[in-house]
Amino acid sequence: MGRTIKLLLYYLIYQFATQGVFTCGYMVYHHTTQLPNLTDPSGVTLLLMSQLIGTLALVVHLLVWKYVRLNRQTLAYYNSGSVLAVSILFIIGMGLWCNYLSELVNLPNNMEATFETMMHHPAGIIAIVVMAPIAEELLFRGAIQGHLLRKWKKPAAAIIVSSLLFGAIHGNPAQIPFAFVLGLALGWIYYRSGSLIPSILMHFINNGTSVVVFLYSDNPDATMQEAFGTTDAICIAAAGVVLTLACIYIFRKKLLPQPADWQEETA
């Protein structure tokens, strides 16, 4: 677990370091000792740009130091797109029943104001829809889970540990349970395929859908029950469960019948 802890520290260091550099630069430029005001457009832009650069720095670090190897396996494109197509259906199905359960649990959303700010800013949308899927899949699936799969004898343990860390790093009670479940799905696909492409695509679809719903819905804060009624919401969630199980069956029986090769790398 030493390497896993080190990777998580890299993630936190890059985020805090870039925010610190941008904040100090802002204070020097404006000749002030006051921190940037996040209700001010310039303060929001500053925060989001620091997040983007910190995320990009993490990606470069993971690749240059070969925590993730971009080889024929990790970039594989399977079955003429069949795996990617079913991956899209898989994440859509999961979203239907996970969102319904999240609404029933109704955990506090401590990051709601932050996400609303990000979704109204181009840099925030890029951070959520593009950079987060790439960086988080490289880190949690490629670097952490991939390493654990090669070291541990039980693949399920590697998937669960990486998913727990993925959920915990979000730090928001409303996100943690769904992020954990999402991590299980992404981790399982990565274990079966050995490729990061399906999990990055699923992560992109998940985050992108949230942004689209927020920006174009008449009432983005409405629950499924408020939007569709209790009976229809339950039916939609049940349909999501059926779609999820169907995709798992297709993966196991048709597209990815055998897990990828997770032997220890020699170089």
Side-chain angles (χ1 to χ4, degrees):
M1 289 293 290
R3 172 167 161 160
T4 298
I5 294 172
K6 181 170 67 174
L7 287 167
L8 291 175
L9 288 176
Y10 285 147
Y11 174 87
L12 296 174
I13 288 170
Y14 278 121
Q15 290 297 318
F16 287 121
T18 52
Q19 288 183 28
V21 169
F22 271 73
T23 299
C24 290
Y26 173 91
M27 294 167 69
V28 170
Y29 180 79
H30 290 279
H31 305 287
T32 180
T33 58
Q34 298 295 320
L35 293 174
N37 185 354
L38 297 183
T39 60
D40 181 74
S42 62
V44 172
T45 300
L46 180 78
L47 173 64
L48 294 176
M49 292 305 297
S50 70
Q51 287 182 339
L52 284 175
I53 293 176
T55 303
L56 181 60
L58 174 67
V59 169
V60 172
H61 186 109
L62 294 174
L63 297 178
V64 171
W65 272 267
K66 299 188 185 305
Y67 288 105
V68 180
R69 297 177 184 270
L70 298 184
N71 51 32
R72 187 175 290 181
Q73 175 173 305
T74 56
L75 295 177
Y77 186 76
Y78 289 95
N79 298 314
S80 301
S82 298
V83 166
L84 301 185
V86 178
S87 296
I88 293 172
L89 296 176
F90 189 23
I91 195 62
I92 291 173
M94 285 194 62
L96 295 177
W97 61 265
C98 282
N99 284 337
Y100 180 76
L101 292 180
S102 297
E103 292 170 1
L104 292 181
V105 176
N106 194 27
L107 294 172
N109 188 357
N110 299 336
M111 301 290 290
E112 184 174 7
T114 301
F115 285 129
E116 288 184 1
T117 299
M118 293 179 69
M119 290 182 186
H120 283 108
H121 195 287
I125 295 175
I126 293 172
I128 294 171
V129 179
V130 179
M131 293 303 298
I134 295 173
E136 291 175 2
E137 291 313 300
L138 286 173
L139 175 63
F140 290 99
R141 253 58 66 184
I144 293 177
Q145 182 180 310
H147 175 70
L148 296 179
L149 285 169
R150 294 181 178 93
K151 290 293 185 181
W152 292 357
K153 294 182 179 180
K154 295 183 178 180
I159 296 171
I160 290 171
V161 167
S162 65
S163 300
L164 285 170
L165 295 173
F166 178 63
I169 206 70
H170 285 78
N172 183 13
Q175 287 181 280
I176 290 173
F178 176 65
F180 169 67
V181 175
L182 176 64
L184 291 176
L186 298 174
W188 182 75
I189 290 294
Y190 181 52
Y191 164 65
R192 303 292 295 192
S193 69
S195 173
L196 287 169
I197 301 301
S199 62
I200 290 174
L201 176 63
M202 291 171 67
H203 204 148
F204 167 80
I205 295 294
N206 177 74
N207 291 15
T209 300
S210 298
V211 171
V212 169
V213 169
F214 177 85
L215 293 177
Y216 295 101
S217 174
D218 293 333
N219 184 9
D221 296 325
T223 65
M224 290 177 64
Q225 294 190 54
E226 291 171 344
F228 302 105
T230 301
T231 301
D232 287 347
I234 293 173
C235 291
I236 291 171
V241 172
V242 172
L243 181 57
T244 300
L245 295 175
C247 291
I248 292 173
Y249 175 83
I250 293 171
F251 280 131
R252 288 180 58 88
K253 298 298 183 180
K254 303 292 184 182
L255 300 179
L256 301 171
Q258 297 296 328
D261 181 9
W262 293 105
Q263 295 181 4
E264 182 66 28
E265 295 177 341
T266 57

